Amino acid sequence: MDSEKLNEQWARVRTQIMSYPEVNSAEISAFFSRLEPQAMSDSFLMLTAGNEFIKTWVEQHYLSHIQRALLDLHGVPFAVAIAVDPAQEARATGTPAPQAATPPAPAPAAAVSSPAAPPVSSAPSAPVAAPAAPDFTPTPSAPTADQPFAAPTMPAVPENPVAPASATPESIPTAAAETTEPQPDNPASALTFSNFVIGESNQMAYSLANEVAGKPGRTIFNPLFIYGKSGLGKTHLMRAIQNYIDKTQPHLRTVYADSADFLSKYMEASVAHDREKASFKNFKHYYEEADVLLIDDIQYLQNKKQCLDMVFQLFNSLTAQGKQVVLSADRAPKNIDVDERYSSRFSSGGIVEVRPPDIETKLAIVKRFADECSRNEGFSQCAIPDDIQMYIAENSSSNIRELLSAVSNVFYRMVFSGQSDITVEGARALLENHFSGSMARNLSVEDIQREVESFFKVSHADLISNKRSRSIAYPRQIAIYLCRQLLDLPYEDIGQKFNRDHSTAIYAVTNIETRLKKEREVQEEVETLQKIISEL
């Protein structure tokens, strides 16, 4: 089959899978774009992935869907094999392909389970000499009632048929994917790539985090800066990077630090320096020895000049050695109140935003968390009805923690109150004061003016003056817009607070609304101010 026809057939398979109601379209977009069809016969399809993580993830989550789509389209069961081709990832990222890579030992042949069966885990095998090209002649086996999409029996497939035999383990471009969830006492160990729900709002951040976890230290993504509002999954991605590297590349030392904890340890080391001269040196040495350093909520170090200088020294030292640095914040580097030399260096690698999830993504998160609770928390006798899951997704804010807390509250009510038949009305009454989507609190125009003045560093006198310079007019329009959105006051009342008439207030709101649709910088500044004001 020529390449054009092969790609057409693969496109049909993808379209068919997207038609299944249970699939996550964002996951399909994120992962299937990283697969390439290589060969296809009457009952066999060969695909390649750019790295081991993509291969294993698709095998565990979507191989049965691929087989189902092939059966639906062609009427016969198909064997599907996925191999790793590092050159494919090099083409996609524009980086040089590795000169050598070690193929793991061929995997034993196995039937692919039905969609209801648990995912099959795999582990990296010891390197062996490259095998000869395998004979991909499938022997179909008839589907059964219990396993309608069983894979035909087929010979073992080398995971990397294109790699030469002279490679060493260190030359493998990405480590093997997670196969089991780690279960130590640290709750952060449960934050992995496999249980991160992917949607359009976080797909790019997920992809870049995965790239960094597979190949830490690449210049193009060093540092990796992840930003977004609180509760959207930044820490989950940071911990997923750490856990992935710890599991698959244990020779690398990863260090995760929350900025508040980093500041606390820095202060302790500084205070102890007078008593023990080595304390500060030991503090610095702990982070300098990291192969991968992850610092969460870097915006917390605003106005902490000495501590920020220490972070900057560590940053420069590690990146100069080709070691990976990952930072996160609730805003983009340029909007963090730090010296320009810091923000420019923080922006020198990959920058990616985690945006608020849409309804579909929130619903997927609710469903996955509800399933986990049923399996792991003793709630197997309960199932949250679909209409209540949708109610939670529609009424929660973008904060994922609030979303999960709502699910937990419903579960506890169902289990401990015996209300297994809870209705939407019951859930609404239970969660009446849970969601924080509205700002029903004692907030005034003066509160908003004060926070806008502080954010943009303008005086109150200038904000309500007749000055029309952009440095004054833009913050003024933002403040007027926020007053309208958060307080829902009449335009005339808002105008009076800014020494303006109602028509000027209308123009300010309209102008900001128009810019919000087109300018990401305006969106980010408004979102940041809304977060600040919501915490008053």
Side-chain angles (χ1 to χ4, degrees), residues 265-280:
K265 287 184 170 63
Y266 174 83
M267 297 301 295
E268 289 175 4
S270 300
V271 170
H273 183 65
D274 293 336
R275 302 191 305 272
E276 184 182 354
K277 299 298 182 184
S279 64
F280 199 80

Coordinates of all heavy atoms in Angstrom, one line a residue, residues 265-280:
K265 N 13.5 27.5 53.9 CA 14.8 26.9 54.1 C 15.9 27.8 53.9 O 17.0 27.8 54.6 CB 14.9 25.7 53.1 CG 14.0 24.5 53.5 CD 14.3 23.3 52.5 CE 13.7 22.0 53.0 NZ 12.2 22.1 53.1
Y266 N 15.8 28.8 52.9 CA 16.8 29.8 52.7 C 17.0 30.7 53.9 O 18.1 30.9 54.4 CB 16.4 30.6 51.5 CG 17.3 31.8 51.2 CD1 18.5 31.6 50.5 CD2 17.0 33.1 51.7 CE1 19.3 32.7 50.3 CE2 17.8 34.1 51.5 CZ 19.0 34.0 50.8 OH 19.8 35.0 50.6
M267 N 15.8 31.1 54.5 CA 15.9 31.9 55.7 C 16.6 31.1 56.9 O 17.4 31.7 57.6 CB 14.5 32.4 56.1 CG 13.9 33.3 55.1 SD 14.8 34.8 54.7 CE 14.7 35.6 56.3
E268 N 16.2 29.9 57.1 CA 16.8 29.1 58.1 C 18.3 28.9 57.9 O 19.1 29.0 58.9 CB 16.1 27.7 58.1 CG 14.7 27.6 58.6 CD 14.1 26.2 58.5 OE1 14.8 25.3 58.1 OE2 12.9 26.1 58.7
A269 N 18.7 28.7 56.7 CA 20.2 28.6 56.4 C 20.9 29.9 56.7 O 22.0 29.9 57.2 CB 20.4 28.1 55.0
S270 N 20.2 31.0 56.4 CA 20.8 32.3 56.6 C 21.0 32.6 58.1 O 22.0 33.1 58.5 CB 20.0 33.4 55.9 OG 19.9 33.2 54.5
V271 N 19.9 32.3 58.9 CA 20.0 32.5 60.3 C 21.0 31.7 61.0 O 21.7 32.1 61.9 CB 18.6 32.3 60.9 CG1 18.6 32.3 62.4 CG2 17.6 33.3 60.4
A272 N 21.1 30.4 60.5 CA 22.0 29.4 61.1 C 23.5 29.7 60.7 O 24.4 29.1 61.3 CB 21.6 28.0 60.7
H273 N 23.7 30.5 59.7 CA 25.0 30.8 59.2 C 26.0 31.3 60.3 O 27.2 31.0 60.3 CB 25.0 31.7 58.0 CG 26.3 32.0 57.4 ND1 27.0 31.0 56.7 CD2 27.1 33.1 57.3 CE1 28.1 31.4 56.3 NE2 28.2 32.7 56.6
D274 N 25.4 32.1 61.2 CA 26.2 32.7 62.2 C 26.7 31.6 63.2 O 27.8 31.7 63.8 CB 25.5 33.8 63.0 CG 25.1 35.0 62.2 OD1 25.9 35.2 61.2 OD2 24.2 35.7 62.5
R275 N 26.0 30.6 63.4 CA 26.4 29.5 64.3 C 27.1 28.4 63.6 O 28.1 27.9 64.2 CB 25.1 28.9 65.0 CG 24.2 29.9 65.7 CD 23.2 29.2 66.6 NE 22.4 28.3 65.8 CZ 21.3 28.6 65.1 NH1 20.9 29.9 65.2 NH2 20.6 27.8 64.4
E276 N 26.7 28.1 62.4 CA 27.4 27.1 61.6 C 27.7 27.6 60.2 O 26.8 27.7 59.4 CB 26.5 25.8 61.6 CG 27.1 24.6 60.9 CD 26.1 23.4 60.9 OE1 25.1 23.6 61.5 OE2 26.5 22.4 60.3
K277 N 28.9 27.8 59.9 CA 29.3 28.4 58.7 C 28.9 27.6 57.5 O 28.7 28.1 56.4 CB 30.8 28.7 58.6 CG 31.3 29.6 59.7 CD 30.7 31.0 59.6 CE 31.3 31.9 60.7 NZ 30.6 33.3 60.6
A278 N 28.8 26.3 57.7 CA 28.5 25.4 56.5 C 27.0 25.3 56.2 O 26.7 24.7 55.2 CB 29.0 24.0 56.8
S279 N 26.2 25.9 57.0 CA 24.7 25.7 56.8 C 24.3 26.3 55.5 O 23.5 25.6 54.7 CB 23.9 26.4 58.0 OG 24.2 27.8 57.9
F280 N 24.7 27.5 55.1 CA 24.3 28.1 53.9 C 24.9 27.3 52.7 O 24.3 27.1 51.7 CB 24.8 29.5 53.9 CG 24.0 30.4 52.9 CD1 22.7 30.8 53.2 CD2 24.6 30.7 51.6 CE1 22.0 31.6 52.2 CE2 23.9 31.4 50.7 CZ 22.6 31.9 51.0

